[in-house]
Amino acid sequence: MSESEELLRDDRRTDDDSGGEPLVEVDGLKTYYEGDGLFGDEPVRAVDGVDFAIERGETLGLVGESGCGKTTLGRTLVRLEQATAGEVRFDGEDITTLSGSRLKRWRRDAQIVFQDPESSLNDRMTVGEIVQEPLNVHDWPRLDVGVEGATKDVRVTGDGEATDRESPDLVVDVRGEPSVRVREAVPVDVGVKKRRLRRARVRELLWTVGLREEHYFRYPHQFSGGQRQRIGIARALALEPKFVVLDEPVSALDVSVQAKILNLLEDLQEEFGLTYLFIAHDLSVVRHICDRVAVMYLGNVMEIGETEELFENPENPYTYSLLSAIPDTDPTAERDRVTLRGTPPSPRDPPAGCPFTTRCPVKIRPEEYEGADDEAWEAVEVLREVLRERERAEKSLTERAREVLGMETRFSDIDEVRREVFDYRLPEEAEAAVDRAAEAVRNGREDRAREHLVEALETAGADRSDVDAAVDRFIADAGDGEAGRARRRLRDRYGGVDLPPSMAETVEAAVGDVREGDEDRARERLREEFGSVCDAERPEHYRVSPTGRTSYCHRHREEYEPPGPVFDRLL
Amino acid sequence: MSERQTHTDEVPLGDRIAANPRPAALWVAGVALFVLAEFGAVATVAVDLLAAVAGAVAAVAGAVAGPGPVAPAIGGTVADLLASARGVAESIPTLLSRELVPNQGHKVAPDGPWAGTFLGLPPAVAWGLRVLLVYAYLFGFLYWVWYGYRLFVEHYRQADWTPRDDVVRRLRGHRWGQFGLVVVVLFVGLALFAPTVSPTTYERNVISPYEYEIQYLEEGSGEVQSIAVGDANLQSASQGGSDPEYNTGPMEYDDFGRFHPFGTMANPGGDLFTFMAYGARVSLFIGLLAIGISGFIAATFGLVTAYYKGLADLSVVLVSDSIQAIPAILLLILVSVIFSDHWLATFYNGGLLIALAFGFIYWPGLWRSVRGPAFQVAEQEWVDAARSYGQRADATMRKHMLPYILGYLLIYGSLTIGGVIITTSALSFLGIGINPPTPEWGRAVAGGRSYVATQSWHIALIPGVLIVLVVTAFNALGDGIRDAIDPQSEGGEAATEAAAAGGGG
Ligand code: SF4
C-alpha cells in the first residue's frame, strides 16, 4: 500500500459547481423482462421509455397503481435490474453500462431501502453484522486522504490512498500551518484495527436511526416492523450514499409507526444532504414528503411536476382519475369521483397509442361522434375493451381445437356480452304498442293489452310460437305493478341495441364478426369506426405549467379540448 | 457524543473467557480427561488415517506413473515409519480396550472360576461391562459437549437470544426425534468402537481364524486344551435343523467357553455380533461419504441455480433428470462390474467405489429437495440488498442463502442415509458391491436366509431387524430436525387442532 503515491490537485468539484446539474438524469429508459419460458414470449415492458431528472437534495415521489413499473424503475436506478435501453446519468456518468470495480465503487453512492421489513433483513445475522456488511464489502474505512487549500501540486505519501471523493476519511489542509482532520464518524484513535472502526461506525449508525446500542447483538426476529425498517435504513446509509431509493418504505407498517419513519427519513435527508426517490402508492404520504411527483401508468410517466400544484390541479387524465379515487379526508366536501373501469392492459402487450387509452374517461373521440350520447359511447368502449381482453386471454388447447373443428367455444357467448354491455330497445312502433298495452293493463282491459302486445311483437319480428307465453308473462308482471320490468324483459328478448343508428350498425356488424369467429375483424371494424388519435399515436410530454410540469396526453395539443373542462362536463 | 463513548465493544471470545475463566477452564479440564482416557485409541486412529491417506496417494501415484523403481522404495520407508508409529500409539494404555477388560478365557474346572477374563468374571459379564463402559463414555462425552454449549450460552455469548435457541428448544421437546438420535448414537458407537465392543476381533474371527488358537476346558476330560479358532468356529457354527448341538443362539456360550451375544453365523461359523459391529463401520462409512458427496454437490448446485436461475437452472435440471432416469440399482451393478479390477475397487473391498457411486446417484434427489427452499431464499429482499451494496455472488450465496438450506440438507441427508444403508445391504444380499471379507449387513441376511424357519433364525433376523431399526432411527432424526427448524410443522398441528375444535363446536 505504501506504493500508492499520487499527485493530487485541488480540483474536486465543490457544491457550487454541481449545484446546477441534477444528480440523476433518466433518459429514454426502458426495462423489459424476458418471459419465463425460453420460447420467445413477448417481453414484459415494465418501464417503457421514461425521462426525468432528480435534483440534488430533493425528494421525487413516484406513484402509480401496483404493476405500473414504479418498483422496477427504482430498482433499475440502483442497478438491481439491467436497463434494456436508455441512459441513467448519475453525476453526469451513465451508470447502466458500469461493471466490475467501477460499478462496485458507484454502488456506495446509490442505495435502496426495501418495502418489506420482514424480508429485507437476514434473520440469521445480528443487527450489528447486518449493518456492518456493506462496510466489510467496501473495506471501509479506506483511510483515504483528501487535500484542501493547495494552490500547487501536493504529494501524498504513505499507507492509504489518495482520493477525489467528496468526503474522504482524512483531510490534509495545507493552507498556512498544515493540519490533518479526521472525519467525524471515525473515533479519534485511528491507530486501532479497521474492524473496531467499523463496529464503532455501526453503533453510530444505529444511534442515528434511533436504535439503541444494546440492539447490536440482537437478531431481527426480536424487533417490530418499524424497528426493522430502521435497521434497513441504517444499512442503506452505512456507505454514505448520495442517492437513496425508498421503495414503499412505510407501506408495510402501522399508521402510527409510519409517521415516525417518515420523520426519520426527512431528518436524515437534512443531516446528510440525501436525494430520495420515494416510491409509494399512498398518495397522502407522497403529498406530505415529496417535493415533486411523477405519476406512472403502464411503464410510462404520465405527469411529473411540483407536488402541491399537481395535487391541486392535475392536468393529465390519469392523474385526475387517480387523485379522485382518494377518499376525501373532509367528509363535507362534495367531490365527484371518477371511477376507472376495468384493469390496466397487460404490459406484455400495451396499446399502440396512449397507454391510458383503454380506460381513459376523456379519451378523444372521432369528430363525427363528438356529440354522441356519453352512455352509448361508454358502452361501445366497454365492448372494445372486452374484445381486447379476449385477445389477451390465453386460449386453452381444447378451446383451440374446438375452434378449429368449428365447435362452439366460450367465445361464442358474444350475445351475452352484448346484452350485458348495451341497453336494448324495441323498434319505435313496437315501443308505442307496448305503451298502449301497459295502459290497457292499468285500465283492467287485458284483452286490449293482449292485442297491442301481439301487434308490438310482430313488428319486432318475434316468432309466433312463443309470443303467447311472452304476452302472458307481460300481463302478469304489469298486473303486479311491475310494468318496468315487464317492458325490460320484452326489450331484452326482442329488441336491438339502443344506439344511434350509425353506431348501432357498426356494433351489430362487429358482433356478427365475432359470431362467425373472426374477432380480429370485429376489433378492426370497431377501431376504424370509433378509433382516434389516442388509439393510434403516442402522445408527447407537453409542458403544462410555468414550473415545468409536463403531461403525457394528446389533449394538450392545440386542436383538442384540454382534459380539465372535459372532466368538468363529465361529472 | 460523549455519552455514547461508554459503549461496550464486541470483545473477542478469548477476551471474554479471560474475563471469566472458571467455567471454561472446568470444561476444558473435563474434555482433557475424556481425551486422556482414550489417548492411545485416538493416536492409533490418527496413524491409521495417515496410513490410509499414504496408501491412497501411493495407489494414485502408481496408477498415474505406472510401476517404477522409486515409488515402492519411498512407499516402503513411509510404511515402515507408519508401522512403528502405530506400535507406539498402540502401546499407550487406553481405558476402553479389550486388554483392560478382557472377556476371552476359559474355565479352570467345570464349575470353577474363569481364567484370563476380567477379575475372573464369566465372559458374558466381562463383555457386558466393557460395552457398558464404552457407551457410558460415549454418552458422557456427548453430554459434556452439550454442557459446554450451555456454558457458552450462559457465560460467554454476547447475544441474549439467537434463532438457534428456538431450534434447540423445539428439538428438546421432540421425543420421536430424540429416539432417533439415541439409536443413531448407539449405531455410531457400534461402528466407532467396533474392535472394543465385539466379543472377539474381526481379524481372529473372520480374516485369519487359523492363525490364532484358544484354550478351553474339554467337558469330558476336564482338561484345558487348545484349538485353532477356525476349527472352533466350524464346530460351533449355527447350521439350522433342530438339534441344539448344531446351533449357538443369541446370548449363549459355545462349547469352547466363548460367549456370543447374537449367536454364531452359518458355516464357516464365527461370532455374529463381531460381524455386525465391523459391518456397521462399513455402512456408516459408505453412508456418510455418499451423503457428504451428494450433499455438497446438491448444495452447490442449489445455490447456483437459485441465484442465477435461467440457463444455469435448466442445465442442472437436464443433467439431474438424465441421472434420475437411470435405475439406481442397474447403475450400481454396472459400476461394480466395470470397475471390479480398477484400483478404486481395492479400498474397503469396493466400499469406496460404492460410496462414490451413491454420491453420484443421490445428488439429484437432494438437489431437488433443496431447490425449492433455495429459490425461496433467493427471492428474499436481503439477497437483493446484498447485491445493491456490491456483495460478491459467492459471498451472498454463502452468507445469505446457505444457512437457510443447510437445515433442509440435514433433513433430507438423514432421510437419504437410511436409503443408502438399505441399498448397500440389498446389493450385498445380491452378492455385488462390497466383496468378502469386508463385512456387510446385507450379506449376513443373505447368508442366514435359508435358516429363518429353523432354530438358527437369528442369523438373518438380527441383521434384518437392525437394518430396519437404524433406517427408522435416521428417519426419526430427520423428522425431528425438520420440526425443529421448520416451525410451520408446529403451526400445522395447531391448525389441525383448531379445525378439530371448530368441527366439534
Ligand atoms: S391521450 Fe389523453 S385523452 Fe387520449 S387516452 Fe391518453 S390520456 Fe386520455
Side-chain angles (χ1 to χ4, degrees):
Chain A
M1 285 282 269
S2 57
E3 301 318 79
S4 65
E5 293 180 17
E6 269 182 52
L7 239 43
L8 267 196
R9 296 180 76 96
D10 184 22
D11 60 355
R12 284 195 296 115
R13 239 197 315 244
T14 64
D15 286 345
D16 296 337
D17 294 339
S18 54
E21 86 187 40
L23 179 67
V24 182
E25 289 167 280
V26 178
D27 197 354
L29 185 69
K30 295 183 180 178
T31 306
Y32 293 178
Y33 295 113
E34 291 305 323
D36 289 336
L38 290 168
F39 316 104
D41 284 348
E42 278 292 310
V44 173
R45 299 158 184 248
V47 178
D48 202 8
V50 160
D51 313 83
F52 61 86
I54 311 178
E55 304 293 335
R56 278 161 211 280
E58 83 165 341
T59 303
L60 175 68
L62 188 58
V63 298
E65 296 162 284
S66 55
C68 72
K70 54 188 196 297
T71 294
T72 308
L73 175 56
R75 288 169 60 94
T76 312
L77 293 194
V78 294
R79 277 295 299 270
L80 281 176
E81 308 294 344
Q82 180 63 44
T84 310
E87 276 192 358
V88 176
R89 283 190 298 279
F90 192 95
D91 259 337
E93 180 186 24
D94 180 17
I95 55 97
T96 57
T97 53
L98 288 183
S99 63
S101 61
R102 284 164 59 92
L103 175 62
K104 188 173 170 186
R105 169 67 195 78
W106 170 78
R107 286 199 182 281
R108 296 166 73 171
D109 287 337
Q111 285 290 309
I112 180 167
V113 173
F114 294 94
Q115 172 183 10
D116 179 8
E118 290 300 316
S119 157
S120 62
L121 307 176
N122 184 344
D123 291 327
R124 308 283 169 100
M125 289 164 76
T126 62
V127 170
E129 288 164 346
I130 289 171
V131 180
Q132 195 182 320
E133 194 179 0
L135 301 176
N136 294 345
V137 168
H138 288 271
D139 198 24
W140 188 97
R142 319 275 294 211
L143 298 179
D144 42 6
V145 183
V147 180
E148 261 180 18
T151 47
K152 52 180 184 185
D153 290 353
V154 173
R155 186 173 288 271
V156 180
T157 317
D159 289 355
E161 54 191 84
T163 182
D164 59 352
R165 288 194 60 219
E166 279 171 31
S167 45
D169 298 313
L170 306 170
V171 174
V172 183
D173 191 344
V174 295
R175 284 171 292 213
E177 192 70 11
S179 65
V180 177
R181 274 187 285 121
V182 179
R183 78 152 68 242
E184 214 178 319
V186 177
V188 270
D189 47 345
V190 179
V192 296
K193 285 191 209 126
K194 277 192 177 183
R195 294 188 67 83
R196 278 197 61 186
L197 292 182
R198 284 180 201 155
R199 288 196 291 264
R201 166 86 174 136
V202 171
R203 290 206 160 70
E204 168 96 24
L205 283 164
L206 291 182
W207 186 80
T208 309
V209 298
L211 292 171
R212 290 197 309 279
E213 196 180 283
E214 60 264 35
H215 291 152
Y216 188 96
F217 292 113
R218 302 255 171 96
Y219 284 82
H221 268 314
Q222 295 165 287
F223 291 92
S224 67
Q227 284 173 313
R228 291 175 69 119
Q229 202 58 308
R230 284 174 196 268
I231 299 166
I233 293 170
R235 177 178 61 190
L237 293 183
L239 295 166
E240 298 172 282
K242 296 179 196 163
F243 173 57
V244 181
V245 171
L246 306 165
D247 185 6
E248 308 206 20
V250 296
S251 63
L253 305 178
D254 289 346
V255 180
S256 55
V257 185
Q258 287 191 353
K260 288 187 193 160
I261 298 291
L262 290 175
N263 287 340
L264 171 68
L265 289 169
E266 284 188 311
D267 292 346
L268 294 171
Q269 181 172 39
E270 198 165 310
E271 191 175 346
F272 301 111
L274 299 169
T275 305
Y276 286 156
L277 177 72
F278 190 96
I279 301 170
H281 64 244
D282 183 344
L283 295 170
S284 56
V285 168
V286 170
R287 192 168 189 173
H288 172 72
I289 198 171
C290 298
D291 302 310
R292 291 194 305 138
V293 186
V295 181
M296 258 185 107
Y297 183 78
L298 206 62
N300 287 270
V301 170
M302 301 301 285
E303 184 168 10
I304 177 169
E306 310 263 314
T307 309
E308 262 322 295
E309 198 189 304
L310 185 140
F311 271 78
E312 282 302 321
N313 180 23
E315 282 289 345
N316 187 281
Y318 178 64
T319 318
Y320 206 101
S321 319
L322 196 66
L323 290 181
S324 92
I326 315 180
D328 226 303
T329 37
D330 178 6
T332 56
E334 269 299 318
R335 177 99 150 300
D336 287 311
R337 298 262 176 85
V338 185
T339 33
L340 286 181
R341 78 182 120 77
T343 49
S346 156
R348 276 185 203 282
D349 177 28
C354 167
F356 194 38
T357 176
T358 58
R359 301 167 77 200
C360 181
V362 297
K363 184 176 164 186
I364 297 167
R365 303 181 192 175
E367 243 165 275
E368 60 268 36
Y369 293 108
E370 206 79 68
D373 175 57
D374 282 339
E375 266 176 41
W377 180 260
E378 177 78 8
V380 172
E381 285 290 332
V382 170
L383 178 67
R384 293 186 63 192
E385 169 82 8
V386 168
L387 289 178
R388 247 191 88 87
E389 286 281 328
R390 292 180 144 196
E391 186 180 19
R392 169 153 48 114
E394 295 273 328
K395 297 180 194 174
S396 73
L397 260 183
T398 38
E399 269 162 0
R400 271 176 209 211
R402 299 178 121 224
E403 213 171 52
V404 171
L405 295 172
M407 293 160 74
E408 283 205 348
T409 71
R410 69 185 160 113
F411 292 138
S412 63
D413 53 9
I414 184 68
D415 291 305
E416 230 161 84
V417 172
R418 191 174 105 197
R419 194 162 349 213
E420 196 66 34
V421 171
F422 294 102
D423 283 336
Y424 277 62
R425 215 178 152 75
L426 300 169
E428 277 316 312
E429 307 97 82
E431 286 282 343
V434 172
D435 280 344
R436 286 195 295 277
E439 177 75 31
V441 172
R442 252 199 315 280
N443 295 335
R445 301 290 306 270
E446 269 191 35
D447 49 336
R448 298 291 301 273
R450 196 169 289 273
E451 262 166 48
H452 289 308
L453 282 171
V454 172
E455 178 199 338
L457 294 180
E458 265 165 12
T459 1
D463 197 343
R464 265 237 77 108
S465 59
D466 56 17
V467 161
D468 284 343
V471 168
D472 288 343
R473 196 78 195 270
F474 182 92
I475 290 173
D477 277 352
D480 292 346
E482 299 266 13
R485 188 155 58 127
R487 182 189 293 264
R488 223 172 308 129
R489 207 191 299 276
L490 286 186
R491 282 177 175 173
D492 282 354
R493 176 110 202 214
Y494 302 107
V497 290
D498 181 15
L499 291 174
S502 58
M503 290 167 87
E505 195 185 319
T506 317
V507 168
E508 292 296 359
V511 168
D513 289 340
V514 178
R515 264 196 216 109
E516 281 159 30
D518 192 349
E519 291 190 28
D520 285 337
R521 198 168 69 210
R523 270 187 291 270
E524 181 65 13
R525 196 190 290 277
L526 290 170
R527 201 173 58 80
E528 255 167 36
E529 181 64 20
F530 301 114
S532 71
V533 62
C534 293
D535 296 285
E537 281 172 43
R538 301 215 124 208
E540 275 168 43
H541 295 275
Y542 296 96
R543 206 180 142 100
V544 293
S545 109
T547 55
R549 179 146 57 109
T550 62
S551 167
Y552 190 61
C553 172
H554 286 301
R555 279 202 178 272
H556 300 299
R557 259 153 72 174
E558 280 294 309
E559 61 262 44
Y560 301 113
E561 200 180 358
V566 185
F567 265 112
D568 290 345
R569 227 180 316 119
L570 203 64
L571 296 173
Chain B
M1 188 143 176
S2 54
E3 78 273 8
R4 282 180 291 126
Q5 291 294 347
T6 56
H7 63 237
T8 49
D9 195 6
E10 184 179 309
V11 243
L13 181 62
D15 293 359
R16 277 178 267 158
I17 290 177
N20 177 19
R22 242 188 81 84
L26 215 81
W27 185 76
V28 170
V31 172
L33 274 179
F34 273 106
V35 173
L36 214 64
E38 277 292 275
F39 187 72
V42 173
T44 315
V45 168
V47 172
D48 281 354
L49 268 180
L50 228 91
V53 171
V57 169
V60 173
V64 172
V70 190
I74 298 178
T77 337
V78 172
D80 287 351
L81 262 174
L82 284 173
S84 64
R86 191 170 205 286
V88 173
E90 271 183 338
S91 67
I92 304 171
T94 60
L95 172 69
L96 306 172
S97 65
R98 316 182 55 79
E99 289 74 28
L100 204 68
V101 190
N103 69 321
Q104 283 164 310
H106 58 88
K107 276 185 183 167
V108 189
D111 29 48
W114 290 78
T117 65
F118 182 62
L119 303 177
L121 291 168
V125 178
W127 172 81
L129 194 67
R130 207 164 68 218
V131 171
L132 209 69
L133 260 179
V134 164
Y135 279 112
Y137 177 88
L138 191 61
F139 280 102
F141 185 74
L142 288 178
Y143 172 76
W144 199 248
V145 170
W146 164 243
Y147 178 67
Y149 171 72
R150 306 278 313 179
L151 277 183
F152 169 73
V153 169
E154 199 175 325
H155 294 287
Y156 303 115
R157 194 171 71 184
Q158 282 189 307
D160 51 5
W161 179 89
T162 77
R164 211 178 313 123
D165 288 4
D166 280 357
V167 174
V168 171
R169 179 178 54 76
R170 283 191 286 263
L171 203 55
R172 289 183 76 172
H174 201 288
R175 291 282 165 261
W176 176 234
Q178 285 166 358
F179 157 77
L181 184 66
V182 168
V183 175
V184 167
V185 169
L186 288 175
F187 172 69
V188 171
L190 187 66
L192 224 52
F193 292 92
T196 317
V197 294
S198 304
T200 175
T201 67
Y202 199 64
E203 169 79 11
R204 288 167 70 112
N205 194 35
V206 176
I207 308 274
S208 33
Y210 284 96
E211 286 168 28
Y212 296 91
E213 288 205 330
I214 52 165
Q215 295 186 309
Y216 69 104
L217 185 76
E218 163 82 80
E219 293 273 326
S221 62
E223 276 170 34
V224 175
Q225 292 188 344
S226 285
I227 184 172
V229 173
D231 290 333
N233 281 352
L234 262 181
Q235 291 178 37
S236 61
S238 300
Q239 301 167 36
S242 52
D243 184 355
E245 250 318 287
Y246 298 110
N247 185 49
T248 311
M251 305 303 277
E252 282 179 9
Y253 286 93
D254 62 14
D255 295 340
F256 307 97
R258 300 183 302 177
F259 177 67
H260 300 287
F262 286 175
T264 61
M265 297 193 292
N267 273 337
D271 182 55
L272 180 60
F273 190 95
T274 308
F275 185 91
M276 294 300 290
Y278 282 82
R281 277 192 161 185
V282 177
S283 297
L284 193 66
F285 166 80
I286 293 176
L288 287 183
L289 188 64
I291 292 303
I293 293 171
S294 51
F296 180 79
I297 301 177
T300 312
F301 280 154
L303 293 174
V304 169
T305 53
Y307 189 83
Y308 291 107
K309 306 191 175 70
L311 208 61
D313 188 38
L314 191 77
S315 29
V316 178
V317 167
L318 278 178
V319 173
S320 79
D321 275 358
S322 332
I323 292 177
Q324 284 189 316
I326 312 170
I329 279 280
L330 208 69
L331 194 81
L332 285 166
I333 294 173
L334 216 70
V335 164
S336 33
V337 171
I338 292 175
F339 283 89
S340 58
D341 291 329
H342 195 267
W343 55 266
L344 262 177
T346 56
F347 292 97
Y348 240 155
N349 296 95
L352 180 70
L353 190 68
I354 287 290
L356 292 177
F358 272 124
F360 180 72
I361 291 169
Y362 275 108
W363 75 256
L366 274 181
W367 171 68
R368 289 204 171 252
S369 37
V370 298
R371 183 174 172 269
F375 268 73
Q376 230 165 28
V377 204
E379 289 305 310
Q380 298 287 345
E381 282 177 345
W382 68 71
V383 174
D384 277 338
R387 199 152 4 126
S388 80
Y389 47 71
Q391 181 63 279
R392 289 196 321 276
D394 61 324
T396 305
M397 291 183 217
R398 208 177 52 241
K399 285 182 79 170
H400 297 299
M401 293 167 65
L402 184 61
Y404 291 86
I405 64 165
L406 261 188
Y408 293 93
L409 269 184
L410 220 60
I411 297 163
Y412 292 107
S414 49
L415 296 181
T416 314
I417 207 169
V420 172
I421 290 175
I422 228 169
T423 314
T424 316
S425 301
L427 278 181
S428 323
F429 182 87
L430 297 175
I432 40 182
I434 294 158
N435 310 315
T438 298
E440 215 301 318
W441 290 12
R443 214 166 49 244
V445 180
R449 74 182 189 281
S450 46
Y451 303 110
V452 173
T454 71
Q455 57 173 351
S456 303
W457 49 269
H458 61 268
I459 309 174
L461 195 69
I462 290 180
V465 168
L466 281 188
I467 290 172
V468 171
L469 191 67
V470 168
V471 171
T472 311
F474 272 111
N475 285 344
L477 185 62
D479 282 347
I481 299 171
R482 187 192 51 225
D483 293 348
I485 56 182
D486 191 5
Q488 246 99 62
S489 47
E490 272 185 351
E493 271 166 43
T496 340
E497 273 165 32

